Amino acid sequence: IRDDKGYVFHDETHGHPRPAMEPKDAILYELHVRDFTRDPASGVRPDWLGTYMGLTQRGTRLAGTTVTTCLDHILELGINVVQLMPVHAFSMPYDPRYEWGYMPNDFNAPEETYCAGTDLGAPIREMKQLVSALHREGLRVTLDVVYNHTAEGWPGRERSMMGLAPRTYFRWRDDGTAWNGSACGNEFHSNSHHGRRFLIESVLHWVRNYQVDGFRFDLMGLIDDESMAMLASALHHEDPSIMVYGEPWAGGEAGIEINSKGKQRGRGWGVFNDDIRDGLRGHVFELDEPAFINAGAQRDEVMAGIRGGIDTFAECPTETINYIECHDNHTLEDRLAITHEMLPKRERARKPVTSRGEMSKLGALTLMTAQGVPFLHSGQEFGRTKLREDNTYNLGDAVNNVRWKDKASGAERCDYYRQVIQLRHHHPMFRLGDRALVDRAVIYFDHLNPGIVVPEGTIGFRVEDVTGEDAWASALVLLNGSTHEKTIPLPPGKFGVATTGGRFELEMTELTASVSHTLPPHTGAVLFTPRA
């Protein structure tokens, strides 16, 4: 198309209806379209590698094996919500072939580099086909959106909103420079009249025209809380089950009061819970800091997360996104390896590096039995590594692409993730959506009457079926994050064993009147009492 010409494309692709689902039942799975589907060994059609269409293909297998990949892998795992890293049109300022997508150019158009087709209508058509294909398989789709800044810069790099109306769409200091709470060059003016209107119209555009089911807001701390409340209200008017959640922080000094964790209470959106993340794996910026799953430390942060954040910052558990790994910072596999290597030599000898798989499984068990919405990063379930790099937004395919052979080598860990996801699906007691229900249902052993003191480095809690919907009357969840075998006392009763020591034993039905349960290091257990 010549520079002085325009192109109008009207697409009539019809999508499959949105699957029914309540937010409390969601299990989020974050993936990058290119990373997830570009491995040549994935079984994806060669002309669909790294594309929207590659994520629609069924029947893919790791070359020469029966190991499922891509969409078949997601379905096998039991995920019900796919969170796509940015698919709105973005700039590639660092690598002309690869980007995560966090430098947006156009918030309302799909990214063209993920297309298999080459015609001008391909981005719109294929993005719609992707959402429809996932809906057809019973999956919901949320978009990772980056409304906090654009790829522009003042002066000299204006191409869209900054060129059109810089004072309307961006925040400025008194000295004429742009606020940069995004740490990416500028800061979107969400609390201006036109900025707020744009945000609401943009998310409604994706819901109405592409049928997406929710949004994850990057650096949501830069979007003022009043705009978020209006945006969430508009989306829930369309469909009350649409998920709205984001990062309650910024990337630097900002031009507004940060829309931080706690401001969302009862207002229609959720936040990522960095407390349980840091409690499980260690603070993201303290690499030598062990945490619960590798040392039994930081119990309080984990325990607050298990109750869905209602004791600290959340009005209800669905406001809490519980996670241990995401695209930012090190993968769990890499973080555990780095922390282990930073231990004194004598301690390393006592804590074998081969236990990372058990630590990861313990983290998964914690997330799937905690109240709130669990979140997994693609490949976490089989030990994905990014070669110890922590911020890989521009490091290309060699570092970022999911290598499906790793699923074959991590099959035992992956199968455990699958089973613990099924445990959550099968038992509503682990996904209560109401504060009052959690208060009644989830009780730590030391709060029981009489109280039970658990060994150092462990957590024990009971979950009661307070809704009458579960096949179990109650469950006991035991977590041993320490480096030693621990014996945890139990309350009186007869219990069956669903999973223990990193193994599932769902076929066991015999109940035993145990007074304690012993766990190896870095493992957990779920005991249960069936409904009479």
Side-chain angles (χ1 to χ4, degrees), residues 132-282:
S132 183
L134 297 183
H135 281 177
R136 190 176 298 109
E137 300 298 340
L139 301 170
R140 285 200 166 197
V141 182
T142 64
L143 301 187
D144 187 345
V145 287
V146 193
Y147 290 113
N148 59 79
H149 76 285
T150 69
E152 300 172 276
W154 183 276
R157 222 171 63 234
E158 314 90 32
R159 67 170 302 277
S160 59
M161 304 178 87
M162 190 169 281
L164 176 65
R167 295 290 170 182
T168 294
Y169 289 120
F170 298 89
R171 298 188 182 113
W172 300 88
R173 294 185 177 90
D174 292 340
D175 64 3
T177 59
W179 280 101
N180 187 23
S182 69
C184 294
N186 56 67
E187 190 174 309
F188 187 78
H189 197 352
S190 64
N191 48 327
S192 70
H193 171 74
H194 289 291
R196 186 170 285 165
R197 178 180 174 183
F198 176 84
L199 286 175
I200 294 171
E201 291 183 355
S202 182
V203 293
L204 290 175
H205 160 72
W206 285 103
V207 169
R208 291 169 177 171
N209 295 318
Y210 292 88
Q211 297 183 292
V212 303
D213 311 299
F215 300 89
R216 176 266 191 194
F217 288 82
D218 182 70
L219 295 185
M220 187 183 63
L222 294 175
I223 302 175
D224 66 286
D225 59 324
E226 189 60 33
S227 292
M228 280 301 303
M230 295 172 68
L231 180 154
S233 177
L235 287 170
H236 292 150
H237 181 73
E238 292 284 313
D239 184 336
S241 70
I242 288 175
M243 296 189 70
V244 183
Y245 57 97
E247 296 179 299
W249 48 75
E253 185 183 8
I256 61 165
E257 180 182 342
I258 298 301
N259 179 14
S260 56
K261 192 166 56 182
K263 287 184 178 290
Q264 86 296 329
R265 285 180 181 268
R267 301 177 72 188
W269 70 92
V271 294
F272 280 89
N273 185 1
D274 53 336
D275 294 333
I276 195 170
R277 176 199 67 192
D278 293 347
L280 286 170
R281 64 181 278 171

Side-chain angles (χ1 to χ4, degrees), residues 425-452:
H425 283 317
H426 291 159
H427 295 286
M429 64 170 62
F430 296 124
R431 42 189 172 85
L432 302 169
D434 180 82
R435 178 191 190 93
L437 292 177
V438 174
D439 257 336
R440 290 169 54 199
V442 182
I443 306 173
Y444 289 104
F445 279 11
D446 56 346
H447 295 162
L448 294 173
N449 187 16
I452 297 173

